[in-house]
Amino acid sequence: MATVMVVDDVAANREIVRMLLGFRGHDVIEAHDGADALRLAHTHHPDVVVSDVLMPGIDGLELVHRLRADPDREAAQAPVIFYTANYLEPETRPIAAACGVSQVVLRSQDPDALLDAIDIALAGGPVDVSATPDDAFAQAHLQTVNAKLIEKVRALHDTERLFETMAVASPVGLGIIDRRGSADYVNPRLAEILQVPLTRIVDTGWQDALGLADRDLHALLGLLRGDGDDTELRFAQRITWPDGTVRFLRIHLRQTRDEDDGLTGGVLMVDDVTDVAQAEERLRAESQRRQNEARHRDAERLDSLRRMAGGTAHDFNNILGAILGYTNLAIETITDGREDGGIPAETAESLLGDLAQVVKGGERAKALTQHMLAFGRREVNKPVAVKVNALLEEQQETLRAAAGPACEVRLVLRADLPEVKADPVQLARALDNLVRNCGEAMPDGGTVTVTTSSACGDVTIEVRDTGPGMPPDVLERACEPFFSTKSGTGTVGLGLSTVHGIVSQAGGHLDLRSERGAGASVTITLPAVAGAVPVPPPPPQSAPDEPGGGETLLLVDDEDAVLQVTARMLGGAGYRVLTAPDAAEALRLLERHGGEIAALVTDVVMPGMDGRQLARIASGRRPGLCVVFVSGYAESLFDENGNNLEPGSTILAKPFDRDRLVSTVRTALSRTRRS
């Protein structure tokens, strides 16, 4: 194999030829210009010289002329091949032939053309030519180079004209930035986008015109210097024009490199995307509006369901109260008849067994109405200051039972948790429902974690399970009443809706999150109590069978069945009972019986004058009159924050049994006598 000297001022070109010749096994010597090539030719005496034509300093033509005139014959007789992308073969043929150039190969040709030319040159051996006279060479050289320079100048002019046309017509602002961050060129569009004269954008003025934050400017200048591995940067920028107009820009800076892959700076591209940004903002606003409308429709639909559920439960409570009341009276009558022999024992037992099933069904119906009232936020509640952690610790065993034997219940309670204002019984029922739902979602076992925390004046209780989670369509409807993925009877589908109602009635909100395969979590958020809320003392208990003191009671209810059965219950407890179907009749009885009446026991929701209005008029006529409100509907007794609209009054929730009725009336009378 031969020694080949490659002469080219571009390192990448030399590398390509070196690799190509290396495959043939040739030894390659690289020279970066003509002067370097002359020096190496004396040292190594290459068998073939492959040289570019257009080079700074000593070009290819001058190199061949000097080699042929060199006194070192081995160097002078080396075959020379021109390998060029700038000259065509006809352009170099006259002077090349005069200088003894073996062949001219264009870089655009197949690489095999160069290898074949080298093989031909090696086969021909050293060339034997005389040096061209200096004057003749100088003239031919000057003509050749001058013609190429004119061609290059014209090409450069055409390129500059095309670049200027493109840059001026570009819809994007452009800037050529050097490594120091100085703009060598900016197009008119950049000045238009920034609303700044061109003279203020060149050099480093573009940095101030863009109003870049220190962090972004540091990143851009670092990219121009070559800090880090990034080759380009993109980010958005917001600017304000002198007239106050706000514009949104998209900025893109990409590094530029020379032929030797050296970093020279970068190209800055700035696009005004205000129309796009405004369109996106309008789209976001429209999307938000639709979401708000959808939430509003859902809220209206849910509120309609709440009103329907609350009203239905209220009416059902009256019916249920009469059913349970008369059933209990029948049980008492049959029991008395069995004891005095008026009813055969066998018959009495059969009747009592049947009536026990009626009572059992009534109790289940009673639980259903409580769920419906809670969902409708109409349940009679008694909010007090509640220590959530203490409530959870007290309910721990109950919660474990609700989760089921296959599930573990873990409490993660934050210390120093502020109190909340809620009905502890209802809150405990809500937590029981949530844990029960978690257990039903994990029939094969899992973990239910109850976590408490406090932030921004709120107390949160999160109940999370490790079950299969819910798909989006189920999650969306999970709080609707009677919607459930479970099969069963009773109050199926009322669990989450009941919890939602209880939490809403306490002034809080509920957040439900779930994903397929990632379990579900329900977060209750309740406002913390700003100050101490007095906890009312427990009412004094009296024995259910303790006879009444013979006081006269004024009983008012617009439901005749409820009125009669309640009167019989109170009469059986030793009270004298006056009954009225409405407020007008109650006021007439109050006027007629004067000081005989010890207590007013009135329903709250009645046509015409309601129970609250009746109580105010009656108390005005009889100061110190004991008042007991009876209601299964909380709306007219409590405000939206759960505060009692009649402070200090006694409230009995429907439906009730004989013992609760009598105990509540006795307690109220006792409290009135003490005050």
Side-chain angles (χ1 to χ4, degrees):
M1 294 295 101
T3 299
V4 181
M5 181 169 66
V6 179
V7 187
D8 200 307
D9 62 307
V10 179
N13 293 341
R14 297 196 304 270
E15 177 67 15
I16 292 173
V17 176
R18 186 187 64 77
M19 293 178 59
L20 180 63
L21 299 181
F23 289 127
R24 285 287 181 92
H26 297 304
D27 292 329
V28 179
I29 303 169
E30 295 184 32
H32 57 78
D33 59 20
D36 191 32
L38 290 172
R39 180 181 58 83
L40 293 174
H42 291 159
T43 305
H44 297 281
H45 296 121
D47 298 309
V48 179
V49 177
V50 177
S51 176
D52 191 13
V53 179
L54 189 61
M55 294 185 294
I58 299 176
D59 63 5
L61 297 172
E62 179 71 19
L63 170 62
V64 177
H65 178 67
R66 293 193 182 187
L67 276 177
R68 297 298 176 241
D70 197 296
D72 185 344
R73 298 305 296 169
E74 287 190 60
Q77 293 179 346
V80 177
I81 299 172
F82 279 163
Y83 192 44
T84 180
N86 296 295
Y87 287 90
L88 298 178
E89 194 272 339
E91 296 174 325
T92 60
R93 183 184 302 139
I95 192 170
C99 296
V101 174
S102 301
Q103 297 178 72
V104 177
V105 180
L106 302 180
R107 295 187 190 275
S108 59
Q109 292 179 264
D110 189 275
D112 287 338
L114 177 61
L115 297 175
D116 293 342
I118 291 174
D119 290 343
I120 293 172
L122 290 173
V127 297
D128 185 13
V129 294
S130 301
T132 305
D134 290 342
D135 292 342
F137 171 78
Q139 184 177 0
H141 186 205
L142 181 61
Q143 290 176 348
T144 304
V145 172
N146 188 56
K148 182 54 63 177
L149 286 176
I150 293 173
E151 178 187 330
K152 289 295 182 181
V153 168
R154 288 175 177 172
L156 180 61
H157 176 73
D158 291 341
T159 301
E160 289 179 346
R161 182 175 53 81
L162 290 174
F163 172 79
E164 186 67 22
T165 301
M166 178 190 68
V168 170
S170 172
V172 177
L174 299 173
I176 308 299
I177 317 296
D178 63 22
R179 295 193 62 182
R180 300 186 307 275
S182 179
D184 297 327
Y185 171 85
V186 293
N187 70 340
R189 176 56 179 160
L190 183 59
E192 181 183 349
I193 290 174
L194 300 178
Q195 290 290 290
V196 176
L198 274 172
T199 55
R200 289 175 49 192
I201 304 177
V202 294
D203 295 330
T204 59
W206 64 274
Q207 302 174 15
D208 295 331
L210 285 174
L212 297 170
D214 291 342
R215 174 175 53 84
D216 294 333
L217 180 59
H218 179 74
L220 287 177
L221 296 179
L223 183 72
L224 294 170
R225 292 190 302 265
D227 300 343
D229 298 327
D230 293 331
T231 59
E232 59 184 339
L233 281 177
R234 302 171 186 263
F235 56 87
Q237 176 69 358
R238 179 179 180 270
I239 64 170
T240 303
W241 283 354
D243 63 359
T245 303
V246 176
R247 309 298 291 181
F248 297 91
L249 311 180
R250 183 175 294 131
I251 299 174
H252 181 193
L253 179 66
R254 175 177 291 176
Q255 289 179 343
T256 56
R257 297 182 177 274
D258 58 21
E259 294 178 340
D260 293 327
D261 200 34
L263 180 62
T264 60
V267 176
L268 177 69
M269 291 161 278
V270 180
D271 193 9
D272 187 337
V273 293
T274 302
D275 292 343
V276 176
Q278 291 175 343
E280 291 176 348
E281 182 61 32
R282 288 193 296 270
L283 183 61
R284 284 193 295 269
E286 177 65 16
S287 177
Q288 184 63 44
R289 184 185 65 80
R290 292 181 179 179
Q291 290 178 6
N292 291 338
E293 288 181 352
R295 282 195 291 266
H296 181 67
R297 288 194 299 269
D298 290 343
E300 286 184 335
R301 180 169 58 90
L302 197 57
D303 190 59
S304 176
L305 289 171
R306 291 186 194 283
R307 289 195 299 271
M308 181 189 71
T312 302
H314 170 258
D315 294 340
F316 189 52
N317 258 341
N318 284 328
I319 299 171
L320 186 60
I323 293 173
L324 289 175
Y326 281 114
T327 301
N328 285 321
L329 290 176
I331 290 174
E332 292 179 2
T333 300
I334 294 172
T335 301
D336 293 341
R338 180 186 59 185
E339 292 176 354
D340 61 18
I343 301 177
E346 184 177 347
T347 302
E349 291 299 329
S350 177
L351 291 173
L352 290 174
D354 293 341
L355 292 174
Q357 293 301 316
V358 175
V359 172
K360 183 178 179 180
E363 291 298 327
R364 290 181 58 191
K366 178 179 175 182
L368 177 60
T369 59
Q370 288 176 338
H371 280 290
M372 294 178 67
L373 285 169
F375 166 70
R377 296 185 292 197
R378 301 295 187 266
E379 189 177 19
V380 176
N381 67 341
K382 299 176 181 178
V384 296
V386 177
K387 295 181 178 179
V388 175
N389 286 351
L391 177 67
L392 285 168
E393 289 170 348
E394 291 173 2
Q395 292 289 115
Q396 195 166 1
E397 293 303 320
T398 303
L399 296 178
R400 286 198 175 98
C407 296
E408 176 190 2
V409 176
R410 297 177 58 239
L411 300 183
V412 182
L413 309 179
R414 174 181 170 177
D416 301 325
L417 203 66
E419 296 178 335
V420 299
K421 187 179 181 182
D423 186 319
V425 176
Q426 290 189 13
L427 185 56
R429 178 147 55 94
L431 293 170
D432 183 84
N433 278 335
L434 292 180
V435 173
R436 189 179 304 277
N437 282 351
C438 292
E440 291 174 349
M442 301 183 293
D444 298 327
T447 301
V448 181
T449 305
V450 183
T451 306
T452 61
S453 60
S454 176
C456 302
D458 292 330
V459 174
T460 60
I461 310 169
E462 183 192 38
V463 181
R464 183 176 66 255
D465 66 45
T466 57
M470 291 180 281
D473 58 326
V474 174
L475 183 64
E476 184 179 356
R477 301 184 59 193
C479 288
E480 292 184 7
F482 298 106
F483 175 80
S484 177
T485 58
K486 304 185 293 290
S487 60
T489 58
T491 59
V492 168
L494 277 172
L496 280 176
S497 62
T498 299
V499 175
H500 193 281
I502 290 173
V503 173
S504 299
Q505 195 169 11
H509 60 271
L510 182 142
D511 182 38
L512 176 61
R513 299 177 184 272
S514 181
E515 293 182 9
R516 274 291 195 183
S521 69
V522 180
T523 302
I524 297 173
T525 303
L526 297 171
V529 176
V533 176
V535 179
Q541 299 294 323
S542 55
D545 57 352
E546 177 186 339
E551 294 95 334
T552 299
L553 309 178
L554 176 55
L555 178 64
V556 188
D557 200 305
D558 62 307
E559 288 285 341
D560 183 65
V562 177
L563 181 66
Q564 298 306 321
V565 73
T566 306
R568 288 182 60 180
M569 289 179 181
L570 292 172
Y575 295 102
R576 178 192 175 204
V577 183
L578 304 175
T579 60
D582 53 39
E585 179 63 21
L587 291 176
R588 285 193 291 270
L589 289 173
L590 182 67
E591 187 69 27
R592 185 182 312 153
H593 293 276
E596 300 177 24
I597 298 176
L600 170 66
V601 181
T602 178
D603 190 16
V604 178
V605 181
M606 296 185 297
M609 185 185 300
D610 64 24
R612 288 181 58 219
Q613 294 169 324
L614 170 62
R616 288 189 189 129
I617 296 174
S619 297
R621 295 180 182 179
R622 285 282 314 280
L625 177 67
C626 175
V627 178
V628 177
F629 290 110
V630 180
S631 179
Y633 200 61
E635 185 173 31
S636 54
L637 282 175
F638 297 91
D639 63 16
E640 60 183 10
N641 296 319
N643 297 314
N644 189 352
L645 296 175
E646 300 295 334
S649 59
T650 300
I651 302 170
L652 175 63
K654 291 182 179 180
F656 48 79
D657 56 22
R658 176 183 178 277
D659 292 342
R660 284 188 57 216
L661 170 65
V662 173
S663 175
T664 301
V665 171
R666 286 178 183 165
T667 300
L669 286 169
S670 176
R671 184 183 302 122
T672 301
R673 284 193 294 268
R674 290 197 305 270
S675 61

